[in-house]
């Protein structure tokens, strides 16, 4: 499992966001973050900001991870999740 297994949703989002913000495309790290995010039930702990930041990071780095995006879509469609978004989260 390694160090990433100690990360909470905000730490996943912050790490992905930091690498993307610096333009550092470390595909192994991003794959590890995606894999950890997709562990049973972990994605449901993401708040809208964590979700948006993680998606932004993958998009900015142009790293396609279909499983992660499918998981995000499923999470977004969960009852009540969209109601927790504020305009900033969707930007």
């Amino acid at each position: 499992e390694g160090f990433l297994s100690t990360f909470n949703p905000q730490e996943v989002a912050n790490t992905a966001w930091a690498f993307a913000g610096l333009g550092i495309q470390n595909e192994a790290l991003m794959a590890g973050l995606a894999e950890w995010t997709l562990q049973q039930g972990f994605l449901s702990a993401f708040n809208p900001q964590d979700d948006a930041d993680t998606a932004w990071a993958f998009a900015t780095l142009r790293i396609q991870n279909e499983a992660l995006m499918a998981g995000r879509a499923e999470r977004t469609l969960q009852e009540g999740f969209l109601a927790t978004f504020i305009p900033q989260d969707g930007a």
Side-chain angles (χ1 to χ4, degrees):
E1 300 261 329
F3 184 66
L4 290 179
S5 68
T6 67
F7 278 26
N8 65 38
Q10 184 176 1
E11 291 165 334
V12 168
N14 289 351
T15 301
W17 183 88
F19 273 74
L22 293 170
I24 300 171
Q25 189 168 13
N26 185 318
E27 292 199 28
L29 173 67
M30 298 302 282
L33 291 172
E35 184 178 328
W36 177 239
T37 298
L38 292 170
Q39 295 298 313
Q40 183 67 33
F42 188 73
L43 194 55
S44 66
F46 273 56
N47 66 36
Q49 187 68 53
D50 300 334
D51 184 61
D53 287 349
T54 302
W56 177 86
F58 276 81
T60 297
L61 293 173
R62 300 185 188 278
I63 296 175
Q64 294 184 10
N65 189 303
E66 291 184 31
L68 178 62
M69 293 302 126
R72 287 188 61 253
E74 186 177 315
R75 168 69 172 135
T76 300
L77 295 174
Q78 287 178 342
E79 187 172 338
F81 185 68
L82 283 177
T84 66
F85 271 70
I86 59 174
Q88 172 184 322
D89 294 331

PDB file of all heavy atoms in Angstrom, residues 31-67:
ATOM      1  N   ALA A  31      -1.203   7.899 -11.081  1.00  0.00           N
ATOM      2  CA  ALA A  31      -1.853   6.583 -11.128  1.00  0.00           C
ATOM      3  C   ALA A  31      -2.055   6.049  -9.715  1.00  0.00           C
ATOM      4  O   ALA A  31      -3.096   5.465  -9.407  1.00  0.00           O
ATOM      5  CB  ALA A  31      -1.028   5.609 -11.961  1.00  0.00           C
ATOM      6  N   GLY A  32      -1.063   6.259  -8.850  1.00  0.00           N
ATOM      7  CA  GLY A  32      -1.194   5.832  -7.456  1.00  0.00           C
ATOM      8  C   GLY A  32      -2.296   6.580  -6.738  1.00  0.00           C
ATOM      9  O   GLY A  32      -3.064   5.985  -5.966  1.00  0.00           O
ATOM     10  N   LEU A  33      -2.380   7.886  -6.976  1.00  0.00           N
ATOM     11  CA  LEU A  33      -3.452   8.682  -6.365  1.00  0.00           C
ATOM     12  C   LEU A  33      -4.816   8.196  -6.842  1.00  0.00           C
ATOM     13  O   LEU A  33      -5.754   8.069  -6.052  1.00  0.00           O
ATOM     14  CB  LEU A  33      -3.277  10.168  -6.684  1.00  0.00           C
ATOM     15  CG  LEU A  33      -2.090  10.867  -6.031  1.00  0.00           C
ATOM     16  CD1 LEU A  33      -1.928  12.280  -6.592  1.00  0.00           C
ATOM     17  CD2 LEU A  33      -2.234  10.906  -4.516  1.00  0.00           C
ATOM     18  N   ALA A  34      -4.926   7.923  -8.135  1.00  0.00           N
ATOM     19  CA  ALA A  34      -6.193   7.433  -8.687  1.00  0.00           C
ATOM     20  C   ALA A  34      -6.548   6.074  -8.086  1.00  0.00           C
ATOM     21  O   ALA A  34      -7.692   5.840  -7.692  1.00  0.00           O
ATOM     22  CB  ALA A  34      -6.108   7.338 -10.207  1.00  0.00           C
ATOM     23  N   GLU A  35      -5.564   5.201  -8.017  1.00  0.00           N
ATOM     24  CA  GLU A  35      -5.809   3.861  -7.466  1.00  0.00           C
ATOM     25  C   GLU A  35      -6.267   3.946  -6.012  1.00  0.00           C
ATOM     26  O   GLU A  35      -7.216   3.266  -5.610  1.00  0.00           O
ATOM     27  CB  GLU A  35      -4.540   3.010  -7.575  1.00  0.00           C
ATOM     28  CG  GLU A  35      -4.724   1.584  -7.127  1.00  0.00           C
ATOM     29  CD  GLU A  35      -3.457   0.754  -7.285  1.00  0.00           C
ATOM     30  OE1 GLU A  35      -2.680   1.013  -8.217  1.00  0.00           O
ATOM     31  OE2 GLU A  35      -3.252  -0.144  -6.454  1.00  0.00           O
ATOM     32  N   TRP A  36      -5.607   4.779  -5.230  1.00  0.00           N
ATOM     33  CA  TRP A  36      -5.986   4.941  -3.826  1.00  0.00           C
ATOM     34  C   TRP A  36      -7.392   5.536  -3.713  1.00  0.00           C
ATOM     35  O   TRP A  36      -8.203   5.117  -2.889  1.00  0.00           O
ATOM     36  CB  TRP A  36      -4.973   5.797  -3.085  1.00  0.00           C
ATOM     37  CG  TRP A  36      -5.336   6.068  -1.664  1.00  0.00           C
ATOM     38  CD1 TRP A  36      -5.526   7.291  -1.102  1.00  0.00           C
ATOM     39  CD2 TRP A  36      -5.559   5.119  -0.621  1.00  0.00           C
ATOM     40  NE1 TRP A  36      -5.863   7.154   0.227  1.00  0.00           N
ATOM     41  CE2 TRP A  36      -5.892   5.817   0.540  1.00  0.00           C
ATOM     42  CE3 TRP A  36      -5.527   3.726  -0.564  1.00  0.00           C
ATOM     43  CZ2 TRP A  36      -6.183   5.191   1.751  1.00  0.00           C
ATOM     44  CZ3 TRP A  36      -5.818   3.091   0.642  1.00  0.00           C
ATOM     45  CH2 TRP A  36      -6.135   3.820   1.774  1.00  0.00           C
ATOM     46  N   THR A  37      -7.692   6.504  -4.563  1.00  0.00           N
ATOM     47  CA  THR A  37      -9.000   7.150  -4.556  1.00  0.00           C
ATOM     48  C   THR A  37     -10.116   6.158  -4.851  1.00  0.00           C
ATOM     49  O   THR A  37     -11.220   6.275  -4.309  1.00  0.00           O
ATOM     50  CB  THR A  37      -9.021   8.289  -5.600  1.00  0.00           C
ATOM     51  OG1 THR A  37      -8.036   9.255  -5.214  1.00  0.00           O
ATOM     52  CG2 THR A  37     -10.369   8.958  -5.695  1.00  0.00           C
ATOM     53  N   LEU A  38      -9.827   5.167  -5.682  1.00  0.00           N
ATOM     54  CA  LEU A  38     -10.850   4.206  -6.087  1.00  0.00           C
ATOM     55  C   LEU A  38     -11.008   3.030  -5.126  1.00  0.00           C
ATOM     56  O   LEU A  38     -11.823   2.142  -5.381  1.00  0.00           O
ATOM     57  CB  LEU A  38     -10.547   3.706  -7.501  1.00  0.00           C
ATOM     58  CG  LEU A  38     -10.713   4.785  -8.583  1.00  0.00           C
ATOM     59  CD1 LEU A  38     -10.154   4.296  -9.906  1.00  0.00           C
ATOM     60  CD2 LEU A  38     -12.165   5.202  -8.705  1.00  0.00           C
ATOM     61  N   GLN A  39     -10.270   3.045  -4.022  1.00  0.00           N
ATOM     62  CA  GLN A  39     -10.449   1.992  -3.019  1.00  0.00           C
ATOM     63  C   GLN A  39     -11.878   2.050  -2.484  1.00  0.00           C
ATOM     64  O   GLN A  39     -12.497   3.111  -2.425  1.00  0.00           O
ATOM     65  CB  GLN A  39      -9.454   2.153  -1.870  1.00  0.00           C
ATOM     66  CG  GLN A  39      -8.013   1.976  -2.272  1.00  0.00           C
ATOM     67  CD  GLN A  39      -7.713   0.591  -2.812  1.00  0.00           C
ATOM     68  OE1 GLN A  39      -8.097  -0.417  -2.239  1.00  0.00           O
ATOM     69  NE2 GLN A  39      -7.040   0.540  -3.944  1.00  0.00           N
ATOM     70  N   GLN A  40     -12.389   0.934  -2.067  1.00  0.00           N
ATOM     71  CA  GLN A  40     -13.775   0.804  -1.625  1.00  0.00           C
ATOM     72  C   GLN A  40     -14.196   1.914  -0.656  1.00  0.00           C
ATOM     73  O   GLN A  40     -13.634   2.034   0.426  1.00  0.00           O
ATOM     74  CB  GLN A  40     -13.983  -0.565  -0.963  1.00  0.00           C
ATOM     75  CG  GLN A  40     -15.391  -0.838  -0.540  1.00  0.00           C
ATOM     76  CD  GLN A  40     -16.337  -0.984  -1.726  1.00  0.00           C
ATOM     77  OE1 GLN A  40     -15.951  -1.460  -2.782  1.00  0.00           O
ATOM     78  NE2 GLN A  40     -17.561  -0.558  -1.541  1.00  0.00           N
ATOM     79  N   GLY A  41     -15.125   2.730  -1.083  1.00  0.00           N
ATOM     80  CA  GLY A  41     -15.709   3.745  -0.217  1.00  0.00           C
ATOM     81  C   GLY A  41     -14.924   5.030  -0.059  1.00  0.00           C
ATOM     82  O   GLY A  41     -15.425   5.991   0.502  1.00  0.00           O
ATOM     83  N   PHE A  42     -13.675   5.079  -0.535  1.00  0.00           N
ATOM     84  CA  PHE A  42     -12.844   6.257  -0.298  1.00  0.00           C
ATOM     85  C   PHE A  42     -13.369   7.482  -1.042  1.00  0.00           C
ATOM     86  O   PHE A  42     -13.400   8.579  -0.489  1.00  0.00           O
ATOM     87  CB  PHE A  42     -11.394   5.964  -0.702  1.00  0.00           C
ATOM     88  CG  PHE A  42     -10.417   7.035  -0.320  1.00  0.00           C
ATOM     89  CD1 PHE A  42     -10.049   7.215   0.995  1.00  0.00           C
ATOM     90  CD2 PHE A  42      -9.868   7.866  -1.277  1.00  0.00           C
ATOM     91  CE1 PHE A  42      -9.138   8.201   1.361  1.00  0.00           C
ATOM     92  CE2 PHE A  42      -8.958   8.858  -0.925  1.00  0.00           C
ATOM     93  CZ  PHE A  42      -8.595   9.019   0.401  1.00  0.00           C
ATOM     94  N   LEU A  43     -13.804   7.301  -2.272  1.00  0.00           N
ATOM     95  CA  LEU A  43     -14.276   8.424  -3.065  1.00  0.00           C
ATOM     96  C   LEU A  43     -15.506   9.081  -2.437  1.00  0.00           C
ATOM     97  O   LEU A  43     -15.702  10.284  -2.562  1.00  0.00           O
ATOM     98  CB  LEU A  43     -14.579   7.972  -4.498  1.00  0.00           C
ATOM     99  CG  LEU A  43     -14.778   9.041  -5.554  1.00  0.00           C
ATOM    100  CD1 LEU A  43     -13.592  10.004  -5.613  1.00  0.00           C
ATOM    101  CD2 LEU A  43     -14.981   8.410  -6.916  1.00  0.00           C
ATOM    102  N   SER A  44     -16.297   8.317  -1.711  1.00  0.00           N
ATOM    103  CA  SER A  44     -17.489   8.894  -1.076  1.00  0.00           C
ATOM    104  C   SER A  44     -17.128   9.856   0.048  1.00  0.00           C
ATOM    105  O   SER A  44     -17.972  10.633   0.495  1.00  0.00           O
ATOM    106  CB  SER A  44     -18.417   7.793  -0.560  1.00  0.00           C
ATOM    107  OG  SER A  44     -17.799   7.086   0.489  1.00  0.00           O
ATOM    108  N   ALA A  45     -15.872   9.844   0.492  1.00  0.00           N
ATOM    109  CA  ALA A  45     -15.427  10.769   1.534  1.00  0.00           C
ATOM    110  C   ALA A  45     -14.972  12.109   0.956  1.00  0.00           C
ATOM    111  O   ALA A  45     -14.717  13.052   1.704  1.00  0.00           O
ATOM    112  CB  ALA A  45     -14.297  10.142   2.348  1.00  0.00           C
ATOM    113  N   PHE A  46     -14.866  12.210  -0.366  1.00  0.00           N
ATOM    114  CA  PHE A  46     -14.446  13.453  -1.005  1.00  0.00           C
ATOM    115  C   PHE A  46     -15.547  14.496  -0.894  1.00  0.00           C
ATOM    116  O   PHE A  46     -16.711  14.208  -1.152  1.00  0.00           O
ATOM    117  CB  PHE A  46     -14.151  13.216  -2.494  1.00  0.00           C
ATOM    118  CG  PHE A  46     -12.755  12.765  -2.786  1.00  0.00           C
ATOM    119  CD1 PHE A  46     -12.219  11.637  -2.187  1.00  0.00           C
ATOM    120  CD2 PHE A  46     -11.967  13.459  -3.680  1.00  0.00           C
ATOM    121  CE1 PHE A  46     -10.938  11.214  -2.466  1.00  0.00           C
ATOM    122  CE2 PHE A  46     -10.679  13.047  -3.976  1.00  0.00           C
ATOM    123  CZ  PHE A  46     -10.158  11.922  -3.355  1.00  0.00           C
ATOM    124  N   ASN A  47     -15.168  15.706  -0.510  1.00  0.00           N
ATOM    125  CA  ASN A  47     -16.130  16.802  -0.563  1.00  0.00           C
ATOM    126  C   ASN A  47     -16.036  17.426  -1.960  1.00  0.00           C
ATOM    127  O   ASN A  47     -15.147  17.074  -2.751  1.00  0.00           O
ATOM    128  CB  ASN A  47     -15.885  17.813   0.566  1.00  0.00           C
ATOM    129  CG  ASN A  47     -14.571  18.558   0.446  1.00  0.00           C
ATOM    130  OD1 ASN A  47     -14.110  18.885  -0.642  1.00  0.00           O
ATOM    131  ND2 ASN A  47     -13.949  18.841   1.577  1.00  0.00           N
ATOM    132  N   PRO A  48     -16.928  18.344  -2.305  1.00  0.00           N
ATOM    133  CA  PRO A  48     -16.896  18.913  -3.657  1.00  0.00           C
ATOM    134  C   PRO A  48     -15.561  19.565  -4.028  1.00  0.00           C
ATOM    135  O   PRO A  48     -15.111  19.448  -5.168  1.00  0.00           O
ATOM    136  CB  PRO A  48     -18.026  19.945  -3.626  1.00  0.00           C
ATOM    137  CG  PRO A  48     -18.991  19.384  -2.635  1.00  0.00           C
ATOM    138  CD  PRO A  48     -18.113  18.774  -1.566  1.00  0.00           C
ATOM    139  N   GLN A  49     -14.922  20.242  -3.086  1.00  0.00           N
ATOM    140  CA  GLN A  49     -13.647  20.898  -3.392  1.00  0.00           C
ATOM    141  C   GLN A  49     -12.557  19.870  -3.692  1.00  0.00           C
ATOM    142  O   GLN A  49     -11.790  20.030  -4.645  1.00  0.00           O
ATOM    143  CB  GLN A  49     -13.206  21.803  -2.249  1.00  0.00           C
ATOM    144  CG  GLN A  49     -11.977  22.633  -2.565  1.00  0.00           C
ATOM    145  CD  GLN A  49     -12.252  23.678  -3.636  1.00  0.00           C
ATOM    146  OE1 GLN A  49     -13.184  24.453  -3.511  1.00  0.00           O
ATOM    147  NE2 GLN A  49     -11.440  23.691  -4.690  1.00  0.00           N
ATOM    148  N   ASP A  50     -12.482  18.795  -2.886  1.00  0.00           N
ATOM    149  CA  ASP A  50     -11.509  17.730  -3.135  1.00  0.00           C
ATOM    150  C   ASP A  50     -11.744  17.113  -4.507  1.00  0.00           C
ATOM    151  O   ASP A  50     -10.801  16.856  -5.261  1.00  0.00           O
ATOM    152  CB  ASP A  50     -11.604  16.626  -2.078  1.00  0.00           C
ATOM    153  CG  ASP A  50     -11.341  17.099  -0.670  1.00  0.00           C
ATOM    154  OD1 ASP A  50     -10.618  18.112  -0.482  1.00  0.00           O
ATOM    155  OD2 ASP A  50     -11.861  16.458   0.268  1.00  0.00           O
ATOM    156  N   ASP A  51     -13.005  16.870  -4.816  1.00  0.00           N
ATOM    157  CA  ASP A  51     -13.371  16.268  -6.093  1.00  0.00           C
ATOM    158  C   ASP A  51     -12.967  17.169  -7.259  1.00  0.00           C
ATOM    159  O   ASP A  51     -12.321  16.721  -8.210  1.00  0.00           O
ATOM    160  CB  ASP A  51     -14.879  16.005  -6.110  1.00  0.00           C
ATOM    161  CG  ASP A  51     -15.327  15.300  -7.353  1.00  0.00           C
ATOM    162  OD1 ASP A  51     -14.863  14.170  -7.603  1.00  0.00           O
ATOM    163  OD2 ASP A  51     -16.132  15.888  -8.097  1.00  0.00           O
ATOM    164  N   ALA A  52     -13.304  18.439  -7.157  1.00  0.00           N
ATOM    165  CA  ALA A  52     -12.991  19.389  -8.235  1.00  0.00           C
ATOM    166  C   ALA A  52     -11.486  19.569  -8.402  1.00  0.00           C
ATOM    167  O   ALA A  52     -10.979  19.609  -9.531  1.00  0.00           O
ATOM    168  CB  ALA A  52     -13.664  20.730  -7.959  1.00  0.00           C
ATOM    169  N   ASP A  53     -10.766  19.675  -7.296  1.00  0.00           N
ATOM    170  CA  ASP A  53      -9.310  19.861  -7.378  1.00  0.00           C
ATOM    171  C   ASP A  53      -8.623  18.657  -8.008  1.00  0.00           C
ATOM    172  O   ASP A  53      -7.687  18.805  -8.802  1.00  0.00           O
ATOM    173  CB  ASP A  53      -8.719  20.131  -5.990  1.00  0.00           C
ATOM    174  CG  ASP A  53      -9.039  21.513  -5.455  1.00  0.00           C
ATOM    175  OD1 ASP A  53      -9.542  22.365  -6.218  1.00  0.00           O
ATOM    176  OD2 ASP A  53      -8.797  21.743  -4.251  1.00  0.00           O
ATOM    177  N   THR A  54      -9.082  17.473  -7.654  1.00  0.00           N
ATOM    178  CA  THR A  54      -8.490  16.255  -8.219  1.00  0.00           C
ATOM    179  C   THR A  54      -8.769  16.168  -9.716  1.00  0.00           C
ATOM    180  O   THR A  54      -7.864  15.890 -10.511  1.00  0.00           O
ATOM    181  CB  THR A  54      -9.022  15.011  -7.493  1.00  0.00           C
ATOM    182  OG1 THR A  54      -8.725  15.129  -6.092  1.00  0.00           O
ATOM    183  CG2 THR A  54      -8.397  13.732  -8.024  1.00  0.00           C
ATOM    184  N   ALA A  55     -10.006  16.442 -10.095  1.00  0.00           N
ATOM    185  CA  ALA A  55     -10.355  16.420 -11.523  1.00  0.00           C
ATOM    186  C   ALA A  55      -9.557  17.470 -12.285  1.00  0.00           C
ATOM    187  O   ALA A  55      -9.043  17.188 -13.382  1.00  0.00           O
ATOM    188  CB  ALA A  55     -11.849  16.666 -11.692  1.00  0.00           C
ATOM    189  N   TRP A  56      -9.428  18.662 -11.718  1.00  0.00           N
ATOM    190  CA  TRP A  56      -8.665  19.736 -12.369  1.00  0.00           C
ATOM    191  C   TRP A  56      -7.220  19.303 -12.602  1.00  0.00           C
ATOM    192  O   TRP A  56      -6.654  19.543 -13.664  1.00  0.00           O
ATOM    193  CB  TRP A  56      -8.719  21.007 -11.515  1.00  0.00           C
ATOM    194  CG  TRP A  56      -7.898  22.118 -12.089  1.00  0.00           C
ATOM    195  CD1 TRP A  56      -8.295  23.021 -13.027  1.00  0.00           C
ATOM    196  CD2 TRP A  56      -6.526  22.416 -11.787  1.00  0.00           C
ATOM    197  NE1 TRP A  56      -7.250  23.876 -13.330  1.00  0.00           N
ATOM    198  CE2 TRP A  56      -6.154  23.525 -12.582  1.00  0.00           C
ATOM    199  CE3 TRP A  56      -5.584  21.869 -10.925  1.00  0.00           C
ATOM    200  CZ2 TRP A  56      -4.887  24.092 -12.536  1.00  0.00           C
ATOM    201  CZ3 TRP A  56      -4.318  22.426 -10.883  1.00  0.00           C
ATOM    202  CH2 TRP A  56      -3.979  23.521 -11.670  1.00  0.00           C
ATOM    203  N   ALA A  57      -6.640  18.662 -11.602  1.00  0.00           N
ATOM    204  CA  ALA A  57      -5.242  18.243 -11.715  1.00  0.00           C
ATOM    205  C   ALA A  57      -5.055  17.247 -12.854  1.00  0.00           C
ATOM    206  O   ALA A  57      -4.139  17.387 -13.672  1.00  0.00           O
ATOM    207  CB  ALA A  57      -4.765  17.642 -10.396  1.00  0.00           C
ATOM    208  N   PHE A  58      -5.907  16.241 -12.926  1.00  0.00           N
ATOM    209  CA  PHE A  58      -5.786  15.250 -13.999  1.00  0.00           C
ATOM    210  C   PHE A  58      -6.009  15.906 -15.361  1.00  0.00           C
ATOM    211  O   PHE A  58      -5.293  15.626 -16.317  1.00  0.00           O
ATOM    212  CB  PHE A  58      -6.750  14.081 -13.775  1.00  0.00           C
ATOM    213  CG  PHE A  58      -6.206  13.034 -12.851  1.00  0.00           C
ATOM    214  CD1 PHE A  58      -6.268  13.202 -11.476  1.00  0.00           C
ATOM    215  CD2 PHE A  58      -5.610  11.886 -13.342  1.00  0.00           C
ATOM    216  CE1 PHE A  58      -5.752  12.251 -10.611  1.00  0.00           C
ATOM    217  CE2 PHE A  58      -5.092  10.923 -12.492  1.00  0.00           C
ATOM    218  CZ  PHE A  58      -5.160  11.110 -11.118  1.00  0.00           C
ATOM    219  N   ALA A  59      -6.988  16.790 -15.446  1.00  0.00           N
ATOM    220  CA  ALA A  59      -7.268  17.469 -16.714  1.00  0.00           C
ATOM    221  C   ALA A  59      -6.113  18.380 -17.113  1.00  0.00           C
ATOM    222  O   ALA A  59      -5.710  18.406 -18.281  1.00  0.00           O
ATOM    223  CB  ALA A  59      -8.560  18.272 -16.593  1.00  0.00           C
ATOM    224  N   THR A  60      -5.578  19.124 -16.157  1.00  0.00           N
ATOM    225  CA  THR A  60      -4.480  20.048 -16.446  1.00  0.00           C
ATOM    226  C   THR A  60      -3.250  19.309 -16.942  1.00  0.00           C
ATOM    227  O   THR A  60      -2.570  19.763 -17.865  1.00  0.00           O
ATOM    228  CB  THR A  60      -4.140  20.874 -15.188  1.00  0.00           C
ATOM    229  OG1 THR A  60      -5.292  21.660 -14.854  1.00  0.00           O
ATOM    230  CG2 THR A  60      -2.958  21.782 -15.404  1.00  0.00           C
ATOM    231  N   LEU A  61      -2.980  18.159 -16.350  1.00  0.00           N
ATOM    232  CA  LEU A  61      -1.826  17.367 -16.762  1.00  0.00           C
ATOM    233  C   LEU A  61      -2.136  16.473 -17.973  1.00  0.00           C
ATOM    234  O   LEU A  61      -1.258  15.777 -18.470  1.00  0.00           O
ATOM    235  CB  LEU A  61      -1.327  16.509 -15.591  1.00  0.00           C
ATOM    236  CG  LEU A  61      -0.727  17.294 -14.436  1.00  0.00           C
ATOM    237  CD1 LEU A  61      -0.433  16.367 -13.255  1.00  0.00           C
ATOM    238  CD2 LEU A  61       0.543  18.023 -14.868  1.00  0.00           C
ATOM    239  N   ARG A  62      -3.388  16.505 -18.403  1.00  0.00           N
ATOM    240  CA  ARG A  62      -3.841  15.693 -19.534  1.00  0.00           C
ATOM    241  C   ARG A  62      -3.572  14.206 -19.312  1.00  0.00           C
ATOM    242  O   ARG A  62      -3.124  13.490 -20.227  1.00  0.00           O
ATOM    243  CB  ARG A  62      -3.238  16.183 -20.842  1.00  0.00           C
ATOM    244  CG  ARG A  62      -3.601  17.617 -21.171  1.00  0.00           C
ATOM    245  CD  ARG A  62      -3.090  18.028 -22.539  1.00  0.00           C
ATOM    246  NE  ARG A  62      -3.267  19.434 -22.788  1.00  0.00           N
ATOM    247  CZ  ARG A  62      -4.386  20.005 -23.206  1.00  0.00           C
ATOM    248  NH1 ARG A  62      -5.452  19.278 -23.396  1.00  0.00           N
ATOM    249  NH2 ARG A  62      -4.437  21.304 -23.417  1.00  0.00           N
ATOM    250  N   ILE A  63      -3.829  13.789 -18.087  1.00  0.00           N
ATOM    251  CA  ILE A  63      -3.691  12.377 -17.739  1.00  0.00           C
ATOM    252  C   ILE A  63      -5.083  11.765 -17.728  1.00  0.00           C
ATOM    253  O   ILE A  63      -5.929  12.163 -16.935  1.00  0.00           O
ATOM    254  CB  ILE A  63      -3.000  12.190 -16.375  1.00  0.00           C
ATOM    255  CG1 ILE A  63      -1.567  12.709 -16.437  1.00  0.00           C
ATOM    256  CG2 ILE A  63      -3.039  10.726 -15.949  1.00  0.00           C
ATOM    257  CD1 ILE A  63      -0.833  12.680 -15.113  1.00  0.00           C
ATOM    258  N   GLN A  64      -5.303  10.830 -18.631  1.00  0.00           N
ATOM    259  CA  GLN A  64      -6.611  10.188 -18.727  1.00  0.00           C
ATOM    260  C   GLN A  64      -6.642   8.971 -17.826  1.00  0.00           C
ATOM    261  O   GLN A  64      -5.780   8.097 -17.930  1.00  0.00           O
ATOM    262  CB  GLN A  64      -6.905   9.790 -20.162  1.00  0.00           C
ATOM    263  CG  GLN A  64      -7.055  10.980 -21.079  1.00  0.00           C
ATOM    264  CD  GLN A  64      -7.434  10.556 -22.494  1.00  0.00           C
ATOM    265  OE1 GLN A  64      -7.767   9.411 -22.757  1.00  0.00           O
ATOM    266  NE2 GLN A  64      -7.374  11.491 -23.411  1.00  0.00           N
ATOM    267  N   ASN A  65      -7.613   8.945 -16.949  1.00  0.00           N
ATOM    268  CA  ASN A  65      -7.827   7.789 -16.100  1.00  0.00           C
ATOM    269  C   ASN A  65      -9.329   7.526 -16.097  1.00  0.00           C
ATOM    270  O   ASN A  65     -10.076   8.133 -15.323  1.00  0.00           O
ATOM    271  CB  ASN A  65      -7.295   8.044 -14.693  1.00  0.00           C
ATOM    272  CG  ASN A  65      -7.312   6.795 -13.843  1.00  0.00           C
ATOM    273  OD1 ASN A  65      -8.363   6.191 -13.661  1.00  0.00           O
ATOM    274  ND2 ASN A  65      -6.155   6.398 -13.342  1.00  0.00           N
ATOM    275  N   GLU A  66      -9.749   6.665 -17.007  1.00  0.00           N
ATOM    276  CA  GLU A  66     -11.177   6.425 -17.198  1.00  0.00           C
ATOM    277  C   GLU A  66     -11.848   5.884 -15.942  1.00  0.00           C
ATOM    278  O   GLU A  66     -12.981   6.258 -15.637  1.00  0.00           O
ATOM    279  CB  GLU A  66     -11.400   5.493 -18.385  1.00  0.00           C
ATOM    280  CG  GLU A  66     -11.057   6.164 -19.710  1.00  0.00           C
ATOM    281  CD  GLU A  66     -11.354   5.291 -20.908  1.00  0.00           C
ATOM    282  OE1 GLU A  66     -12.291   4.477 -20.840  1.00  0.00           O
ATOM    283  OE2 GLU A  66     -10.644   5.443 -21.913  1.00  0.00           O
ATOM    284  N   ALA A  67     -11.156   5.023 -15.202  1.00  0.00           N
ATOM    285  CA  ALA A  67     -11.748   4.462 -13.986  1.00  0.00           C
ATOM    286  C   ALA A  67     -12.001   5.560 -12.961  1.00  0.00           C
ATOM    287  O   ALA A  67     -13.061   5.589 -12.313  1.00  0.00           O
ATOM    288  CB  ALA A  67     -10.844   3.374 -13.407  1.00  0.00           C
TER     289      ALA A  67
END
